[in-house]
């Protein structure tokens, strides 16, 4: 009888230990990827343009690029599409390229993945 109780206690302890591992939520593990990150319907006009407008165009608009943005304009589709690979490397801070936004903090994971999804989708002009 005592032996059964011991088995039972051991069993319960194992279950509690194992199941406690599944309390890890994605939010807790990856704080910047949260449920508010909506990566559905990633369009150029709806998702990519706002990211660039809010974080990059102060230096990389057609007007500011020559003075502040190393002549790299990211204001229209053709320019963004052509430079998508460099943009991705720059915002992911992975490359040999200068990390962007320059002198700013790295973009939220959600914005970076949104841009990368747009590239993966074939850079649609939509
Ligand atoms: C404060 C001004 C400023 C902001 C904001 C800024 N950039 Fe830049 N960017 C520069 C300058 C200046 C360079 C030239 C390289 C350097 O000086 O580091 C540059 C270079 C680049 C390059 C080329 C990198 C290379 O090493 O060849 C890319 C791509 C780029 N920026 C994309 C972006 C994107 C995307 C954003 C927004 C997420 C952004 N930049 C925000 C000023 C800025």
């Amino acid at each position: 009888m005592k032996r059964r109780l011991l088995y039972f206690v051991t069993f319960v302890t194992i279950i509690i230990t194992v199941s406690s591992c599944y309390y890890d939520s994605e939010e807790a593990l990856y704080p910047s990827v949260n449920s508010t990150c909506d990566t559905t319907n990633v369009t150029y006009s709806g998702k990519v343009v706002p990211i660039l407008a809010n974080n990059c165009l102060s230096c990389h608009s057609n007007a500011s690029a020559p003075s502040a943005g190393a002549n790299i304009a990211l204001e229209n589709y053709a320019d963004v599409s052509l430079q998508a690979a460099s943009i991705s490397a720059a915002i992911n801070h992975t490359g040999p390229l200068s990390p962007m936004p320059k002198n700013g903090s790295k973009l939220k994971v959600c914005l970076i993945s949104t841009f990368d999804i747009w590239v993966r989708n074939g850079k649609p002009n939509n």
Side-chain angles (χ1 to χ4, degrees):
M1 206 53 196
K2 268 197 168 160
R3 188 162 266 238
R4 275 196 156 177
L5 184 66
L6 184 67
Y7 281 144
F8 180 72
V9 169
T10 310
F11 178 70
V12 168
T13 309
I14 289 171
I15 293 297
I16 289 171
T17 310
V18 168
S19 63
S20 65
C21 297
Y22 295 97
Y23 274 95
D24 293 336
S25 66
E26 193 176 74
E27 277 93 345
L29 289 171
Y30 310 104
S32 21
V33 179
N34 57 43
S35 46
T36 60
C37 182
D38 178 11
T39 51
T40 55
N41 297 319
V42 175
T43 60
Y44 177 68
S45 58
K47 296 280 173 76
V48 173
V49 168
I51 295 172
L52 300 175
N54 292 334
N55 302 286
C56 319
L57 293 194
S58 54
C59 301
H60 293 291
S61 71
N62 291 337
S64 61
S67 53
N71 251 330
I72 299 165
L74 302 175
E75 196 171 326
N76 58 49
Y77 173 79
D79 289 330
V80 175
S81 171
L82 259 177
Q83 298 173 92
S86 322
I87 295 170
S88 181
I91 61 177
N92 276 288
H93 296 191
T94 46
L97 300 186
S98 305
M100 292 289 142
K102 193 172 177 68
N103 303 329
S105 47
K106 194 174 173 182
L107 296 183
K108 290 211 167 83
V109 170
C110 183
L111 300 182
I112 297 173
S113 36
T114 300
F115 186 84
D116 287 342
I117 287 168
W118 176 72
V119 174
R120 230 176 298 138
N121 289 347
K123 303 180 276 181
N125 186 3
N126 51 9

